[in-house]
């Protein structure tokens, strides 16, 4: 229970920090754009999203942050990671709730797949959170002199690990007989994976530039 509360607290802080960070940029440009996003920024997001596996989801989830992103590949990647974190976090909470609610026998295969799924999603949340933290340190003073390449390789490693963990969740249901909980969880996790995959693609684009 205390772990749950702590986790909730940490995520509230994280989201507060994110909005605090994103908001000032948004209001700063509102004066010029009358509240509408800069169309160059929108085009930039559309073109960048075109390099991901799920361009429509990418564009619809990131374009609301156009004012904060502008045409900055680092900000684009960071916002994409934040969006994927929020999806993964909500999914982990959803599955955690199901482990308590689903009427599976204690030792059934379905029950253990559900528990394993939660622990994989929980790992994914931590990895995505680690990526976001690392992204925030890029270009910041006192980042220990670590190279951009090194910092980005950490972000790439964690985001791919998160994607693998999400995949492990659905793989874990392979031997479980079809049932509504299985298909509900697998469908939802498949949706969450798209956001992680897109964020990883945008992270890779940014890393490949070789400069912050
Ligand atoms: C997206 O890519 C497709 C082909 O890969 C291309 O035809 C289309 O013009 C691109 N759209 C944008 C907005 O870049
Ligand atoms: C999980 O359960 C808690 C407590 O009942 C609820 O507040 C939360 O919204 C649920 N999470 C999801 C993702 O459904």
């Amino acid at each position: 229970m205390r772990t749950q509360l702590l986790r909730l607290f940490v995520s509230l802080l994280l989201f507060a920090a994110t909005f605090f960070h994103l908001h000032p940029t948004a209001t700063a440009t509102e004066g010029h754009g009358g509240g509408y996003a800069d169309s160059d920024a929108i085009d930039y997001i559309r073109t960048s999203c075109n390099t991901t596996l799920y361009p429509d989801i990418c564009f619809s989830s990131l374009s609301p942050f156009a004012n904060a992103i502008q045409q900055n590949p680092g900000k684009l990647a960071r916002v994409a990671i934040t969006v994927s974190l929020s999806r993964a976090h909500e999914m982990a909470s959803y599955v955690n709730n199901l482990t308590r609610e689903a009427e599976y026998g204690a030792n059934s295969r379905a029950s253990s797949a559900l528990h394993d799924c939660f622990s994989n999603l929980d790992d994914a949340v931590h990895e995505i959170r680690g990526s976001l933290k690392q992204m925030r340190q890029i270009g910041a003073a006192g980042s220990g002199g670590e190279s951009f390449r090194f910092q980005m390789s950490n972000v790439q490693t964690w985001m791919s690990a998160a994607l693998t963990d999400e995949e492990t969740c659905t793989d874990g249901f392979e031997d479980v007989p079809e049932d509504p909980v299985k298909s509900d969880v697998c469908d939802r996790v498949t949706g969450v994976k798209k956001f992680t995959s897109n964020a990883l693609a945008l992270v890779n684009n940014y890393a490949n530039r070789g400069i912050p």
Side-chain angles (χ1 to χ4, degrees), residues 89-91 93-95 97 100-101:
H89 188 260
E90 196 193 345
M91 190 63 216
S93 157
Y94 184 81
V95 172
N97 288 357
R100 283 182 268 117
E101 292 158 11

Side-chain angles (χ1 to χ4, degrees), residues 137-211:
Q137 283 164 2
I138 288 170
S143 57
E146 285 168 348
S147 72
F148 176 71
R149 190 189 297 269
F150 175 76
Q151 291 173 315
M152 285 311 293
S153 77
N154 287 336
V155 177
Q156 289 171 299
T157 303
W158 291 329
M159 289 306 287
S160 348
L163 191 58
T164 303
D165 281 326
E166 288 164 2
E167 216 149 84
T168 307
C169 160
T170 42
D171 287 351
F173 281 94
E174 245 166 39
D175 297 332
V176 173
E178 289 307 321
D179 87 350
V181 172
K182 170 181 170 170
S183 51
D184 176 47
V185 168
C186 290
D187 287 353
R188 285 171 188 263
V189 173
T190 300
V192 170
K193 265 167 56 183
K194 293 179 180 171
F195 290 92
T196 311
S197 158
N198 282 347
L200 176 59
L202 297 174
V203 159
N204 289 339
N205 287 350
Y206 180 48
N208 291 339
R209 277 164 44 104
I211 46 162

Side-chain angles (χ1 to χ4, degrees), residues 43 46-48 50-51:
D43 287 346
R46 202 190 307 278
T47 309
S48 306
N50 211 12
T51 65

